[in-house]
Amino acid sequence: MLEGLKIVEMATYVAAPGAGGIMADWGADVIKVEPPGGDPIRMFFSSLGVEEMENPVFDMDNRGKRGVVLDTSKPAGREALLRLIDGADIFLTNVRPGGLARAGLDPESVMKRRPQLIYTTLTGYGLEGPDADRPGMDQAAFWARSGLAAMFRPKGGDPVMLRTAFGDHVASLAIVGAVMAAVYERQQTGRGRLIDASLLRAAHYAGSTDLAIQHTRGRIASNRPRQNAPNPLINYFQTGGGRWISLLQRQGEKDWPKLARALKIEHLVSDPRFANGRARRENGAQLVPLLDEAFAGREFDDIAAALDAEEMIWAPVLTAAESIADPQAIAAGCVVQTPKHGGGTMNAPAGPVRFPGADDGPKGPSPRPGEHTRAVLAQAGYSEAEIDAMYESGAAA
């Protein structure tokens, strides 16, 4: 779908490369420019002291890209990057503003050279303000500073860690949406645009329901233990055999009698302690143990059938191993086959949406460091002798 769209990506780790990876799946030509030594995320497992045979973390966000190594601290390497950008629709980077300015690669300089360019930045904290040049990964900028870590912390408990690259991939989605909007705008105006994406802003949007309440009401509910949940019916329950389910209630009172029928505890519907939402909230510490007893007394399949018969909203709590083998996840296209360098394919998570009938999956393996440097430079107009000179000087690899 994006065939013909050319992206030059000078970005490391996850959030910005994740956006490039989505667009590569959709057919864009993404040239990944790495520094000498490569993107640090290539060393993800070795930095944890784990022997690195395959690196699915790098592969996930860089499949289907062409890999180039340039040393932009050298004039020839910087000029080569600019020549690649001259032929691109989009420049995607997560280099901090100060570093870009020192290299002469700041938005003003580059867009003056190529006004049609969509210059896309991903930073921790945005391009303005006192912390614009502060380094920030998702655990810090997305999770902690945004308020999300405090929101997810159980009342009275310690903050919980964010899972690997979770906030990064939320930001990746935001970047892709912004790029598509800018591409559409350029079709109308013929001019490019600067895109200022940040982990902090993506987090404020991801947590916007709670933050909207905070803005207007001055407080939000704490993330309490399940025995004291603000709504006891929006909770986790363990069935016989130890399997957990996530249960949700629609707005209003219709779901409480349905749940009571499914659990065969209809007598509790008329109990004044649980007669309405406010009463159930005030008496949740008494209701949750009664619900626990009803769930634990029946096997998962029995409970599942009863909840489905009442059209309740619920889902099993799956492990990561169970989720990637879930038949519904397979049917929804959540797992795709990614080509491997040595031939064959490997399973990997799919991009965020499906386009039925379109080739919207991985187009190739992730690039080896500098795998396509010579071919990309030749395509940009460099002669073989010029490319050899760049290799000799260390400007390219």
Side-chain angles (χ1 to χ4, degrees), residues 149-397:
M151 292 183 211
F152 276 81
R153 177 178 57 196
K155 188 175 183 179
D158 296 334
V160 295
M161 296 291 287
L162 182 64
R163 296 300 301 185
T164 304
F166 187 94
D168 287 324
H169 283 129
V170 174
S172 298
L173 294 173
I175 294 167
V176 172
V179 167
M180 293 300 100
V183 168
Y184 178 80
E185 181 190 40
R186 191 180 62 180
Q187 290 176 348
Q188 319 306 313
T189 67
R191 296 189 64 82
R193 170 173 292 281
L194 173 63
I195 294 174
D196 174 7
S198 68
L199 292 167
L200 184 62
R201 183 157 176 162
H204 272 252
Y205 182 78
S208 58
T209 299
D210 274 311
L211 292 176
I213 296 170
Q214 182 71 50
H215 277 297
T216 56
R217 300 183 67 89
R219 59 179 297 186
I220 59 172
S222 58
N223 200 14
R224 304 173 190 172
R226 52 179 297 277
Q227 292 82 1
N228 297 308
N231 184 338
L233 306 188
I234 300 178
N235 219 326
Y236 293 98
F237 296 99
Q238 195 171 31
T239 68
R243 295 192 64 181
W244 287 89
I245 72 162
S246 171
L247 180 71
L248 286 90
Q249 178 191 11
R250 300 173 181 88
Q251 299 297 315
E253 294 293 330
K254 292 183 178 180
D255 276 357
W256 173 223
K258 292 181 177 183
L259 177 63
R261 283 196 300 269
L263 296 178
K264 301 178 182 178
I265 53 173
E266 294 95 327
H267 63 284
L268 294 180
V269 174
S270 58
D271 189 316
R273 296 173 299 170
F274 316 129
N276 55 53
R278 181 173 181 176
R280 289 191 294 275
R281 183 178 71 250
E282 293 175 348
N283 297 292
Q286 300 172 56
L287 178 56
V288 171
L290 296 173
L291 295 174
D292 282 343
E293 183 180 1
F295 275 99
R298 292 161 65 185
E299 293 301 308
F300 174 84
D301 289 344
D302 183 24
I303 288 287
L307 294 175
D308 284 344
E310 294 290 347
E311 296 188 329
M312 296 295 296
I313 301 174
W314 71 278
V317 178
L318 300 184
T319 65
E322 290 168 335
S323 75
I324 64 173
D326 178 11
Q328 185 55 46
I330 303 301
C334 299
V335 180
V336 291
Q337 298 294 308
T338 300
K340 299 171 67 174
H341 277 287
T345 61
M346 60 184 176
N347 286 350
V353 296
R354 171 184 274 179
F355 298 90
D359 178 10
D360 59 4
K363 302 299 185 290
S366 62
R368 297 187 177 100
E371 180 178 353
H372 306 97
T373 301
R374 283 189 174 273
V376 168
L377 291 177
Q379 189 178 28
Y382 282 87
S383 68
E384 187 173 344
E386 289 173 320
I387 296 172
D388 287 340
M390 290 182 66
Y391 271 77
E392 290 173 8
S393 71

Side-chain angles (χ1 to χ4, degrees), residues 39-82:
D39 185 338
I41 202 68
R42 289 183 180 274
M43 298 177 285
F44 178 83
F45 287 100
S46 61
S47 66
L48 298 175
V50 178
E51 184 178 353
E52 194 164 317
M53 298 179 64
E54 293 183 339
N55 188 340
V57 175
F58 180 82
D59 294 339
M60 172 64 212
D61 295 307
N62 294 285
R63 62 198 186 200
K65 300 177 183 178
R66 293 193 286 165
V68 172
V69 171
L70 295 175
D71 186 348
T72 56
S73 70
K74 298 180 182 296
R78 175 183 173 279
E79 179 57 30
L81 174 64
L82 288 170

